[in-house]
Amino acid sequence: MKIRKTILAPVVVALAALVTGGWFLQQGVAQERNVYANARLFEEVLRFVQEGFVDSREPGELYKMAIDGMLEELGDPHTAYMPAKEYENLRIQTQGEYGGIGISINRRNGWVTVISPIPGTPGERAGLRAGDAIVEVNGESTRDWTDDFAVTKLRGPKGTKVAIKVARPGVEEPIPFEITRDEIHVKSVPAAYMISQDVGYVELSVFSETSTDEVRDAIRDLQKKGAKGIVLDLRYNSGGLLEQGVSVSDLFLDRGDLVVETKGRIPNQNFRFTASKGDEFTDVPIVMLVGPSSASATEIVAGALQDHDRALLIGQTTYGKGSVQTVFRLSDNNWLKMTTARWYTPSGRSIQGPYGIDDHPAAGADGLDGTARSDDAERPEYKTDGGRIVYGGGGIKPDLDVAPDTLTLAERASARVLRQQNYTKWIETRFNWSAKFAGTRPDLKPDFEVTPEMLDSFFKALRQAGIDIDAELYQTGSRWIALELGNEIAMAKWGVSEARKRSNRFDPQVGKAVDLLQKARNSDDLFRVAGQQVTQPASRTASR
């Protein structure tokens, strides 16, 4: 997660010589020379490279290489130098607002293509739809534009106009649009709905500045509709602002409960964050869904609610990012994102996993059956408020391990052919076919079924795209192919919320959460009804 902090600090490039792992320092010399000697040595090497290296390099490029080399040798993938454009992307992710037309885009078939218009934005109101290829922006062809370049052209101050042309399947000529940009708010909660008569579902996808308010408003709205228990889905949330992780946790904890503690080398990185407002949803049982993509601020919430026995965690072990990043402002509007502290859950555990991919908690997953390598038996043990055993190191282990939908051996064979033969073609063909289908079915309902005729049509599209799969193997994978097609069509037709509703219908992790909540009258009862399915039997205190 990030602590947003603006500090004016000059780039002392000479320090690169201290930590570049011996590019140009003889062993032991760095310990004996002072910073000025190292700076002089760096400048000497820079001059030789600039003047005599076989391939010409600009001085600015060499300095950038030195900075990148220094940061890479720190061995921390979360520490990075960010030019202004990268910082702007980070700012949008954490603040959730920008000026633009409100569409999700990606490169498809050589053109910048609309993946989904954001509901309530100028792009949606103008009539843009999934599958529209943006072929022109302000009179300029977009052929071979990158996604990032297209974003810079489409975004702009609120009230300004942008003229685009889109190629739409089934329409012979490009369609012109003139769209007035507006302030776009990226929702932290893309989906919230009643998943059963008395259980509400809330997906939190990122920790931005509005996350706490959005979660609070979503749960209150669901309570008005009859929700007595909540499924809080953070399986796809990779983090965001530390402050928002603390604030979301505060919604469910008693006043004074420790949420998280951070520890760093400098005093201003040492904090103890406690709940300040008191549990706003007392006795509302919470099941929190987590998985290998749950990281950073998500793990803060998971750790706090698990350690205080406030939520039952279901799913798979989380990513294992137990560090804090601070963003420092440099000269010329450049930025440095640097790890400045580690954080610890209320029980005192660090959940930081190893950086090497071979040792990563999710490293065993092949992406097809949802299985992952078992947890290390040597992980340190801690205890929750109620005496349940929880584990440190390598992510947060859920109270109840439930795998996502797994494929049969026959289905996995089909999936490997389609995904591994040419993954890009598989993604593009699935998207193009689904967008065209959604765009030509005005009367389509969200509960539609994927028919054999639809599967036959998609099979022909795959063969036309050059994906070589025989009919028998395709048929063996028809169940999971139908699930993927159904979700893609729902995304193209109605957006993230309806697509999530559809995928949740077939999701075993969501199903287990709903089943337990339907049997639980309050928070304490949730652990009781989980019974022996939970890794350690619950023994909660009577204080809650």
Side-chain angles (χ1 to χ4, degrees):
M1 80 295 303
K2 279 75 67 174
I3 294 180
R4 292 183 295 105
K5 186 174 184 180
T6 303
I7 294 181
L8 186 60
V11 182
V12 185
V13 179
L15 291 179
L18 293 174
V19 286
T20 48
W23 301 358
F24 39 72
L25 291 181
Q26 296 177 4
Q27 182 137 4
V29 174
Q31 300 294 328
E32 302 171 4
R33 294 176 180 245
N34 60 33
V35 66
Y36 300 105
N38 285 321
R40 185 167 59 250
L41 179 59
F42 174 79
E43 291 294 339
E44 289 172 356
V45 174
L46 177 69
R47 177 169 52 83
F48 277 111
V49 172
Q50 183 183 348
E51 294 178 356
F53 184 67
V54 63
D55 296 318
S56 176
R57 292 287 191 275
E58 293 296 323
E61 182 183 3
L62 294 175
Y63 276 101
K64 173 67 164 54
M65 292 165 63
I67 294 171
D68 289 341
M70 173 181 66
L71 298 180
E72 182 178 353
E73 287 297 325
L74 293 176
D76 176 19
H78 308 298
T79 294
Y81 165 78
M82 296 187 299
K85 183 173 69 174
E86 291 183 23
Y87 174 74
E88 176 64 11
N89 291 335
L90 176 65
R91 184 196 67 79
I92 290 171
Q93 180 184 10
T94 55
Q95 292 186 5
E97 293 182 350
Y98 63 93
I101 63 176
I103 54 174
S104 299
I105 61 173
N106 206 334
R107 187 179 169 87
R108 293 281 191 269
N109 303 317
W111 296 97
V112 175
T113 303
V114 178
I115 300 301
S116 177
I118 299 173
T121 62
E124 185 198 45
R125 292 192 295 267
L128 295 179
R129 63 172 66 165
D132 284 347
I134 301 175
V135 297
E136 192 175 292
V137 174
N138 290 330
E140 186 177 355
S141 172
T142 64
R143 178 176 288 279
D144 296 327
W145 277 14
T146 64
D147 294 346
D148 286 343
F149 187 74
V151 165
T152 64
K153 294 290 188 178
L154 292 170
R155 287 179 183 164
K158 175 182 178 180
T160 59
K161 296 181 183 296
V162 59
I164 67 173
K165 288 184 179 180
V166 304
R168 178 170 294 172
V171 179
E172 292 185 4
E173 297 293 328
I175 306 170
F177 293 88
E178 184 177 70
I179 305 175
T180 301
R181 298 182 179 98
D182 199 354
E183 186 176 89
I184 307 301
H185 172 68
V186 181
K187 286 188 174 183
S188 296
V189 176
Y193 67 100
M194 292 297 294
I195 197 167
S196 74
Q197 186 175 357
D198 54 1
V199 176
Y201 170 91
V202 177
E203 179 183 2
L204 178 59
S205 62
V206 68
F207 286 91
S208 65
E209 289 185 340
T210 61
S211 294
T212 302
D213 291 338
E214 290 187 44
V215 171
R216 179 192 292 112
D217 292 346
I219 295 178
R220 285 179 176 172
D221 181 62
L222 292 172
Q223 284 182 306
K224 293 176 183 177
K225 296 176 180 178
K228 301 209 171 23
I230 296 294
V231 179
L232 186 60
D233 192 350
L234 283 83
R235 289 174 295 176
Y236 316 106
N237 189 326
S238 60
L241 297 176
L242 180 147
E243 298 98 318
Q244 284 294 312
V246 172
S247 184
V248 168
S249 301
D250 198 350
L251 293 173
F252 309 105
L253 298 177
D254 290 335
R255 183 179 290 107
D257 280 350
L258 178 63
V259 177
V260 66
E261 183 174 11
T262 65
K263 299 178 182 179
R265 285 203 302 137
I266 54 179
N268 68 359
Q269 293 295 321
N270 299 323
F271 296 100
R272 284 175 60 86
F273 296 90
T274 59
S276 60
K277 298 177 181 178
D279 192 338
E280 297 189 31
F281 303 101
T282 304
D283 281 335
V284 174
I286 305 290
V287 170
M288 182 173 173
L289 300 180
V290 295
S293 296
S294 305
S296 194
T298 291
E299 293 172 300
I300 284 181
V301 178
L305 270 56
Q306 187 180 54
D307 282 5
H308 289 300
D309 300 293
R310 180 59 181 92
L312 182 76
L313 269 58
I314 287 180
Q316 297 173 290
T317 300
T318 63
Y319 182 91
K321 182 178 181 293
S323 59
V324 179
Q325 284 69 48
T326 304
V327 179
F328 298 91
R329 186 170 187 170
L330 308 173
S331 58
D332 297 328
N333 203 28
N334 295 304
W335 301 79
L336 173 66
K337 178 166 68 75
M338 184 171 68
T339 298
T340 51
R342 291 186 176 89
W343 61 265
Y344 301 82
T345 73
S347 65
R349 52 183 169 146
S350 169
I351 55 86
Q352 177 64 52
Y355 289 137
I357 189 168
D358 292 338
D359 296 323
H360 195 278
D366 67 3
L368 297 177
D369 62 357
T371 58
R373 189 173 54 192
S374 300
D375 290 334
D376 187 347
E378 301 301 319
R379 291 176 65 174
E381 293 185 358
Y382 297 80
K383 288 189 176 181
T384 70
D385 290 354
R388 297 183 303 117
I389 294 175
V390 290
Y391 299 91
I396 292 178
K397 181 179 174 62
D399 301 302
L400 185 60
D401 289 303
V402 178
D405 185 28
T406 57
L407 306 185
T408 66
L409 290 176
E411 289 173 336
R412 290 176 66 181
S414 173
R416 284 199 170 94
V417 170
L418 289 172
R419 292 178 179 177
Q420 295 180 7
Q421 184 180 139
N422 192 318
Y423 187 74
T424 300
K425 278 188 178 181
W426 157 250
I427 293 295
E428 289 188 348
T429 305
R430 190 184 68 192
F431 171 81
N432 291 337
W433 187 93
S434 299
K436 182 178 180 180
F437 182 88
T440 56
R441 300 297 191 283
D443 298 328
L444 194 66
K445 304 297 182 184
D447 60 351
F448 71 92
E449 298 295 330
V450 177
T451 65
E453 291 75 21
M454 293 164 64
L455 288 170
D456 288 344
S457 174
F458 182 58
F459 175 73
K460 293 175 182 177
L462 290 172
R463 297 296 294 268
Q464 290 173 358
I467 297 178
D468 186 18
I469 181 171
D470 64 58
E472 184 177 351
L473 190 58
Y474 180 83
Q475 183 61 36
T476 63
S478 60
R479 183 192 68 90
W480 77 267
I481 294 172
L483 291 177
E484 299 235 341
L485 274 184
N487 293 339
E488 192 82 63
I489 293 168
M491 173 70 79
K493 187 71 174 179
W494 300 287
V496 175
S497 181
E498 285 297 334
R500 184 65 68 221
K501 287 182 184 180
R502 185 178 183 86
S503 64
N504 283 346
R505 288 166 47 193
F506 309 100
D507 192 310
Q509 295 173 331
V510 174
K512 174 60 70 175
V514 172
D515 178 63
L516 290 174
L517 286 168
Q518 287 176 329
K519 299 173 182 176
R521 295 167 298 179
N522 52 45
S523 298
D524 294 297
D525 205 28
L526 177 61
F527 284 84
R528 184 188 63 79
V529 299
Q532 296 306 312
Q533 299 178 75
V534 180
T535 305
Q536 291 288 329
S539 175
R540 304 189 70 213
T541 63
S543 61
R544 293 201 62 87

